[in-house]
Amino acid sequence: MAARKITRRQAITTASAGALGTMVSWKVPAFTHSTITQETLAINGGPKVHETSWPQWPVWDQSAEKNITDMLRTGKWWRGNGEYVSDFEQRYAELMGAKRCLATASGTTALITALKALGVDAGDEVLVSPYTFIASYNVIFMNKALPVFVDTDPETFLMDPSKIEARITERTTAILPVHIYGLPADMDSINAVAKKHNLKVVEDACQAWLGQYRGKKVGTLGDAGCFSFQNSKNLPAGEGGAIISNNEELMDRCHSLHNCGRPYGTVPKTSSYPISGSNFRMQQIQALILMSQMNRIMKDADIRLGNAMLLDAKLREIPGIVPYKLAPGAERSAYHLYPFRFISKDFGDVTRDKFIRALNAEGIPCSSGYGKQNKDGLIEDTLNSRGFKRLFPESRLKQWREENVLPGNDKLTTEAVTFTQNILLGSKNDMEDIVRAITKIYNNRKSLN
Ligand SMILES: Cc1ncc(COP(=O)(O)O)c(C=O)c1O
């Protein structure tokens, strides 16, 4: 079974000492296999373990209604003539413990901007996690650079820092670790390699609001951190994104880049558009929704943590169920999803797909996580494009294809099972239903073959 790096008591102490408000006090109930039901599985026609619905997401906060209507009536809908985007930037920077925040149209545009501001250019290479959403490496292509995948540690679901150095070439300019599902990556090790090879680090924290690593919020650990506020996210606004950093000059450059290249701060006023930027601005309505959602983010984060700890303690008692392991230095996940690995051979050779269908039938929504993204069609499509062939010699692209072999990531893509963050907003009884349902399936595993 995977060993957690901190105890429950340490997690509570750490979180309480931080900016996360009062922790919910959870007692993990005693649970033995004698409490396991032998009833027929729901997938085989038996009764469901969980009959009721799960918390819906997003949750509409009525406090936003008047502010949005008032703003609508002013006609000041863009950041150029309204104050709400700047207000949000200030509040988000404070929440994260960063000097500066720049709001953007999306997480994708935040990542494109941060990479470009840090100097990633056509023909460069960027090291990236493969166990992630497509945007994490698409933004590298958008900057006309080559994403080079670093294998995943299946136990942590994160970039394996011991695999980074072998992937560095003379074209490598940056590392883009992804705090996937909200799990903080091993940033000390990643930053050490970056420092040794003079590489920039952009954290993809698009799923990791309030994740914590050695007392700091994730997103503040590299040169820049990027977030997404898309509809499903723990801090949602339909669409939206942000870059945070303590580097003032870098943030000036990001601001200029996201605003068509107009001068800003230290970006010189040598012309109307001194640098080559684009329009990646956030709208006023997004900022108002975000500020209303920020009223609940701490409380929700604590509820998810309490429920995750209950699941951690109980699920690891079931053979074949291995909850995620926190990376060294990681203190708290943001739990955009709760992940565990399903080890088929320890579960009577039931396949993962069958297990997922059986769990869904018991009234517990879950899914299988990311696939082998490093083999996705968009990659070959880009590598074979006319422009890309001009940027990279055929020998480099051939080598890239030969090295695009990721055994750790491949293993994880066949084992992962996830619960979405709204499931973790359920009650303690809901969590116990999850444990009961998985235990029921384990006890009746022979009926699934
Ligand atoms: C890990 C990761 N990176 C980047 C993004 C891109 O964010 P957006 O959808 O806001 O553009 C997402 C969004 O789902 C994500 O999950």
Side-chain angles (χ1 to χ4, degrees):
M1 298 285 163
R4 292 291 305 273
K5 283 289 169 196
I6 55 168
T7 64
R8 178 175 161 273
R9 180 176 293 280
Q10 283 167 328
I12 290 173
T13 312
T14 313
S16 305
L20 290 173
T22 316
M23 281 293 304
V24 185
S25 168
W26 291 97
K27 276 211 174 91
V28 178
F31 186 86
T32 65
H33 282 259
S34 62
T35 58
I36 295 164
T37 173
Q38 295 286 350
E39 280 173 311
T40 306
L41 295 179
I43 198 171
N44 291 335
K48 277 181 176 183
V49 166
H50 187 83
E51 293 282 357
T52 54
S53 61
W54 293 90
Q56 295 300 299
W57 194 259
V59 179
W60 180 42
D61 179 348
Q62 289 201 333
S63 73
E65 195 177 10
K66 183 171 181 316
N67 293 342
I68 290 171
T69 314
D70 288 350
M71 185 275 297
L72 211 55
R73 288 179 178 149
T74 65
K76 295 178 180 176
W77 300 343
W78 76 302
R79 75 169 298 162
N81 62 6
E83 70 276 27
Y84 298 121
V85 177
S86 310
D87 289 350
F88 165 71
E89 288 171 343
Q90 202 177 334
R91 279 187 61 186
Y92 197 68
E94 273 166 27
L95 181 69
M96 293 292 131
K99 267 196 197 153
R100 292 265 295 271
C101 167
L102 174 76
T104 56
S106 62
T108 302
T109 50
L111 286 162
I112 291 172
T113 305
L115 288 172
K116 188 162 182 183
L118 282 163
V120 172
D121 203 355
D124 286 351
E125 296 182 10
V126 177
L127 305 175
V128 64
S129 313
Y131 196 78
T132 186
F133 180 58
I134 162 196
S136 305
Y137 48 91
N138 215 5
V139 296
I140 300 168
F141 282 138
M142 294 292 190
N143 277 301
K144 303 189 183 65
L146 180 66
V148 175
F149 295 109
V150 177
D151 204 3
T152 307
D153 174 352
E155 292 201 333
T156 62
F157 290 65
L158 298 162
M159 179 184 280
D160 181 343
S162 71
K163 305 278 166 60
I164 297 176
E165 274 193 300
R167 294 287 160 118
I168 295 174
T169 72
E170 72 282 359
R171 288 173 176 248
T172 311
T173 49
I175 311 179
L176 203 157
V178 183
H179 304 296
I180 203 67
Y181 299 152
L183 296 161
D186 180 354
M187 290 305 295
D188 279 358
S189 304
I190 292 168
N191 283 336
V193 183
K195 194 168 173 204
K196 183 171 162 199
H197 296 273
N198 196 22
L199 306 175
K200 303 295 183 192
V201 177
V202 175
E203 298 172 69
D204 182 338
C206 284
Q207 300 187 4
W209 330 256
L210 300 177
Q212 199 159 293
Y213 180 92
R214 296 203 197 284
K216 291 182 171 174
K217 300 288 180 301
V218 304
T220 61
L221 306 159
D223 291 287
C226 297
F227 294 83
S228 166
F229 308 125
Q230 176 271 338
N231 223 59
S232 68
K233 299 301 195 304
N234 299 19
L235 182 60
E239 299 284 2
I243 306 168
I244 59 171
S245 177
N246 294 328
N247 182 334
E248 303 268 7
E249 242 179 80
L250 175 73
M251 291 306 287
D252 286 350
R253 197 167 164 78
C254 286
H255 198 293
S256 177
L257 284 170
H258 106 299
N259 189 25
C260 308
R262 292 186 173 93
Y264 189 89
T266 49
V267 176
K269 295 188 177 67
T270 45
S271 75
S272 304
Y273 303 94
I275 62 174
S276 165
S278 190
N279 176 0
F280 293 153
R281 294 184 299 261
M282 177 179 274
Q283 298 193 62
Q284 290 254 85
I285 188 164
Q286 292 168 284
L288 280 175
I289 296 172
L290 284 169
M291 285 191 283
S292 75
Q293 291 292 315
M294 280 172 84
N295 295 334
R296 56 178 303 132
I297 190 171
M298 305 282 215
K299 189 163 150 270
D300 285 348
D302 284 350
I303 293 170
R304 290 189 196 100
L305 176 65
N307 280 332
M309 287 194 298
L310 193 149
L311 292 178
D312 289 352
K314 292 291 139 195
L315 292 186
R316 67 159 56 95
E317 289 177 9
I318 306 170
I321 306 294
V322 185
Y324 64 92
K325 177 176 152 187
L326 286 176
E331 289 162 353
R332 174 171 182 151
S333 174
Y335 297 108
H336 183 49
L337 285 96
Y338 179 96
F340 63 89
R341 287 184 297 133
F342 175 78
I343 313 298
S344 169
K345 73 170 170 31
D346 297 338
F347 211 94
D349 288 325
V350 169
T351 65
R352 179 182 61 169
D353 284 355
K354 198 74 186 265
F355 168 77
I356 287 174
R357 273 188 278 133
L359 196 52
N360 286 339
E362 297 295 342
I364 314 292
C366 63
S367 58
S368 57
Y370 294 105
K372 295 180 177 58
Q373 310 277 116
N374 60 314
K375 302 282 183 190
D376 211 309
L378 80 102
I379 295 173
E380 276 304 319
D381 190 52
T382 314
L383 298 194
N384 286 319
S385 69
R386 206 172 63 242
F388 230 73
K389 283 182 178 165
R390 282 195 195 124
L391 286 171
F392 293 92
E394 190 48 44
S395 57
R396 174 62 187 121
L397 296 179
K398 183 169 174 277
Q399 182 199 14
W400 185 96
R401 288 186 178 98
E402 284 164 5
E403 287 176 358
N404 187 24
V405 176
L406 306 170
N409 198 63
D410 287 353
K411 179 175 156 65
L412 182 59
T413 61
T414 64
E415 293 179 346
V417 180
T418 59
F419 302 126
T420 51
Q421 52 90 9
N422 60 307
I423 299 294
L424 290 186
L425 291 176
S427 66
K428 205 168 79 174
N429 283 343
D430 291 338
M431 298 307 112
E432 281 163 5
D433 275 356
I434 293 176
V435 177
R436 217 169 281 128
I438 297 179
T439 314
K440 178 183 170 191
I441 298 170
Y442 178 77
N443 265 19
N444 293 279
R445 61 196 179 280
K446 289 204 176 87
S447 71
L448 284 175
N449 285 324

